[in-house]
Amino acid sequence: MTAKPLGFSACESPGKVHEGKAKVVRTYVNRRDDKGEPLVTDVELSLEGCQGELRMVARGGAPFAGCVAKKSNASSVSVKMQSGRTRDGHLATRLVAIDECVRDPDPSDSRSFEAFRACTPVMTDEVAVGFRCEVAPTDEAKAACPWLAR
Amino acid sequence: MGRPAQKKRLTTFSILCLALSALLGLFLLSRRLEAQPKKGVPVATTPAAEKLPVDAKADAVAKSKGDAGADAAAEPDKKAGGDDDKKGDDKKGGGDDDKLPAEDALNNASGLSPAGVPIHDKGKFKSPFANPDFGKPVEVKVGMLITDISQYDIKEGTFEATFYLSLTSKTPMPKKLNLVFPTGKVEALDPLADRPTFKLYRVNGTFKSPPDLRKYPFDSQELTIEVEENSKGVDQLKLYADEEHTRFDANFQIAGWDLKYLEARSLSRDLPARFENDDLYYGRFICRIGIARFGTSAIFSVFVPAFVIVIIGLLAMWVTPDEMEVRSNGGAPMLAGAVLFHFSLIQSIPATAYLTRADKLMIGVYMSLLMNMISTWCFFLVDEDKHDKVFKIARVLVPTLTTILMVVVCVV
């Protein structure tokens, strides 16, 4: 039996797949080949169903790049995420598919990221004077989207 | 070696260790006392907000043209008397005065107060910086994209921040805005866009937030960046926090700290009267970044060493009275070690006027070691035929009391 890193012991095992729904915010073809076909494409997603706002930017090479570039902005898509290790050994959930577009996450990719926030108004004397956003996944968000609990 | 000689040697050794520990303890105590507020000196409740404007203003003066207004307006006599080139240039809006950010408001003042301060007769505010003719105040949304926070020095309460600051409004903003950062010193304020309804700056500077160390080493801190427009009052400009455009950059991290929250709010405030009829309110945007120290790091760097000291000290409870020298060596050196460990802990944080959680833990450690040493001294105070009884009682009592004590100091 191999020893597990401390930070990983309480989390799920690598390879577990989660499915969810998202909206395409936008796609951007970053590089094209000589024929103009997408080589690298960034897709920005807004994940639905998690409490708060969850924004994800994923960069992918061919054939994912060409497939995802055809997705229109604001379209609803199904997403698959899989737990795996990053290049520094930490556990992360990585996007592996958007509908029929399969993505092979590159551990050396430093562009892809996700940002969570759950905002509530800041009230003073019953008047909203600002807002406060939790940027670490809340318990409600973890319950709705278990892959955030890591 | 006879028993009396051994006894004397042990007593001398214990006294020396105690004296050393007492000296170090007094040193620690004196450091804590230094942190108490001095009598007669008021303690600022919001120190950074009130102490730094001069620096911030001075910096802003250096960085942007034409914003010497606030300082110059605060010292009209000095300005008028000290600059010969400006003699005879008293006409409204003339010469270099055009560069003052609030000059348009000053020009519209309808009269002078008995003290010589320009005054407005109409409108909500009499302040010379008010502008009753401006119309409806512009509602400005303030957004902040924080790209980097580094060099957080908890001892000084300072940190370096780099961020983009956006100001957007539906109607044109007043000209010559004079942005100041009351809690910091800005090193670079680079305008990237300057349009009547849209302004964007890239800002880099050092900011100050007093730390709260009551829960140290499980402390959470709040880093504050404040932005104020101090030449245009709320009669011209109202600031609102822009939720959609106040964020952290992608993959934003602060080394050694866990990011918790981002809070932004707007505030209208007046200043304690700097001159007659200084009644104008000014808008301020406040951004707070909540961070927490990593718990694992805190446990391993503070709690584990403290508990190791206590456990090693307790091992002496199982040393029989026949091995008095070994038993003594288990207590006094541990006390010296605890004091040195405590000293190294307080070196990494500023002096505080209250006990931190780490201080309370160390009090528990001291008390445990003291009980340990008292149990050893009892052997010198009671007759030899009662040593077995003392040994048995101490072996049960000291670990039990220590356990209770350590639980209490960890929970309280």
Side-chain angles (χ1 to χ4, degrees):
Chain A
M1 193 174 119
T2 53
K4 291 178 179 177
L6 188 67
F8 179 57
S9 57
C11 302
E12 63 193 22
S13 50
K16 188 167 182 181
V17 175
H18 297 275
E19 293 186 4
K21 292 279 178 191
K23 239 180 198 155
V24 176
V25 178
R26 67 166 183 157
T27 57
Y28 172 70
V29 179
N30 202 31
R31 289 191 186 192
R32 293 179 186 273
D33 61 13
D34 296 339
K35 295 173 186 169
E37 294 298 314
L39 275 179
V40 178
T41 300
D42 288 354
V43 56
E44 183 178 339
L45 301 169
S46 172
L47 275 89
E48 297 170 342
C50 305
Q51 184 254 6
E53 173 195 317
L54 187 56
R55 189 169 152 252
M56 178 184 273
V57 171
R59 173 167 288 187
F64 173 80
C67 178
V68 82
K70 293 171 189 161
K71 300 284 176 193
S72 56
N73 292 357
S75 61
S76 289
V77 291
S78 299
V79 292
K80 271 187 189 172
M81 282 154 294
Q82 189 173 26
S83 303
R85 292 202 180 281
T86 59
R87 61 179 167 172
D88 54 5
H90 292 121
L91 190 72
T93 306
R94 297 168 299 181
L95 184 78
V96 292
I98 298 176
D99 285 344
E100 74 284 2
C101 308
V102 178
R103 175 176 179 253
D104 183 19
D106 186 342
S108 65
D109 168 25
S110 54
R111 161 63 180 156
S112 302
F113 71 94
E114 64 192 43
F116 170 85
R117 66 176 202 163
C119 300
T120 48
V122 173
M123 310 292 285
T124 302
D125 297 327
E126 298 179 8
V127 173
V129 294
F131 61 90
R132 176 184 164 124
C133 297
E134 304 298 328
V135 293
T138 57
D139 291 340
E140 291 87 352
K142 287 175 190 171
C145 298
W147 54 273
L148 284 172
R150 58 178 182 273
Chain B
M1 195 192 302
R3 184 138 182 106
Q6 187 191 18
K7 198 172 171 180
K8 190 177 174 185
R9 208 179 68 169
L10 286 172
T11 310
T12 310
F13 177 73
S14 294
I15 289 170
L16 278 173
C17 285
L18 267 180
L20 178 66
S21 301
L23 277 173
L24 285 167
L26 283 171
F27 177 68
L28 290 178
L29 186 65
S30 67
R31 279 183 60 85
R32 281 281 180 257
L33 287 175
E34 277 174 21
Q36 302 294 326
K38 302 272 189 302
K39 281 182 182 176
V41 179
V43 179
T45 50
T46 52
E50 295 304 324
K51 285 179 182 172
L52 288 174
V54 175
D55 285 347
K57 281 176 190 170
D59 184 69
V61 167
K63 295 295 172 193
S64 61
K65 289 180 181 177
D67 57 356
D71 287 342
E75 296 181 86
D77 293 338
K78 188 179 169 184
K79 186 175 177 67
D83 192 347
D84 291 341
D85 295 339
K86 288 192 174 58
K87 279 180 184 175
D89 193 18
D90 288 334
K91 59 182 180 181
K92 288 179 177 178
D96 287 346
D97 283 350
D98 274 343
K99 292 178 179 175
L100 296 178
E103 188 58 23
D104 49 349
L106 288 165
N107 286 342
N108 290 333
S110 52
L112 281 178
S113 74
V117 179
I119 191 171
H120 289 285
D121 287 332
K122 56 181 179 179
K124 288 181 192 170
F125 304 104
K126 289 181 179 177
S127 167
F129 296 111
N131 198 343
D133 300 323
F134 185 80
K136 197 181 173 192
V138 182
E139 295 184 350
V140 179
K141 281 187 164 183
V142 184
M144 187 179 276
L145 174 71
I146 301 163
T147 57
D148 183 52
I149 285 184
S150 59
Q151 309 285 332
Y152 180 42
D153 182 352
I154 200 161
K155 216 169 173 182
E156 300 290 330
T158 56
F159 62 95
E160 263 188 47
T162 305
F163 55 89
Y164 291 94
L165 183 72
S166 64
L167 306 179
T168 51
S169 61
K170 289 177 181 170
T171 54
M173 290 176 235
K175 290 175 184 173
K176 296 177 188 170
L177 294 185
N178 187 42
L179 296 175
V180 295
F181 298 84
T183 59
K185 189 170 183 180
V186 170
E187 279 138 33
L189 180 65
D190 304 323
L192 303 176
D194 190 4
R195 289 285 184 272
T197 58
F198 171 57
K199 297 176 195 301
L200 181 67
Y201 305 91
R202 185 180 181 277
V203 187
N204 173 258
T206 304
F207 298 85
K208 196 162 187 170
S209 284
D212 181 355
L213 293 160
R214 282 176 176 82
K215 291 182 181 171
Y216 174 81
F218 296 113
D219 53 321
S220 299
Q221 302 299 336
E222 206 167 59
L223 311 182
T224 306
I225 299 171
E226 297 188 4
V227 185
E228 185 175 279
E229 212 307 314
N230 77 345
S231 67
K232 308 285 186 287
V234 294
D235 58 339
Q236 297 179 69
L237 199 72
K238 284 187 174 175
L239 303 180
Y240 294 94
D242 187 348
E243 182 178 328
E244 188 59 30
H245 301 110
T246 300
R247 292 172 182 270
F248 293 116
D249 199 359
N251 296 319
F252 180 86
Q253 287 181 333
I254 301 177
W257 295 84
D258 197 11
L259 210 53
K260 289 292 178 191
Y261 63 86
L262 176 66
E263 184 183 302
R265 58 168 69 196
S266 57
L267 175 76
S268 293
R269 65 188 287 273
D270 62 343
L271 297 165
R274 298 165 291 180
F275 48 83
E276 201 176 9
N277 295 314
D278 187 14
D279 60 354
L280 187 58
Y281 272 61
Y282 297 90
R284 183 176 283 199
F285 170 81
I286 302 168
C287 179
R288 295 190 177 118
I289 300 150
I291 54 174
R293 201 183 292 270
F294 289 122
T296 314
S297 161
I299 288 170
F300 278 94
S301 61
V302 178
F303 278 72
V304 168
F307 276 95
V308 166
I309 289 171
V310 170
I311 290 166
I312 292 176
L314 284 177
L315 288 178
M317 293 296 103
W318 277 263
V319 178
T320 58
D322 300 340
E323 301 289 342
M324 192 57 74
E325 194 169 356
V326 178
R327 191 178 172 111
S328 295
N329 287 345
M334 283 295 110
L335 184 58
V339 173
L340 287 171
F341 174 62
H342 193 186
F343 179 70
S344 74
L345 274 183
I346 64 170
Q347 287 297 298
S348 60
I349 56 171
T352 55
Y354 48 81
L355 291 179
T356 65
R357 188 170 277 268
D359 288 330
K360 290 172 186 170
L361 174 74
M362 291 312 297
I363 288 172
V365 173
Y366 295 140
M367 295 297 289
S368 165
L369 294 174
L370 183 64
M371 286 190 287
N372 185 344
M373 295 183 79
I374 288 171
S375 74
T376 302
W377 292 336
C378 283
F379 289 106
F380 299 115
L381 301 175
V382 300
D383 294 335
E384 205 163 326
D385 57 337
K386 292 179 181 171
H387 277 189
D388 277 349
K389 198 176 178 183
V390 172
F391 174 70
K392 284 176 184 171
I393 292 172
R395 200 172 58 178
V396 174
L397 195 63
V398 174
T400 308
L401 288 177
T402 296
T403 306
I404 294 168
L405 187 67
M406 294 308 284
V407 168
V408 169
V409 296
C410 286
V411 171
V412 174

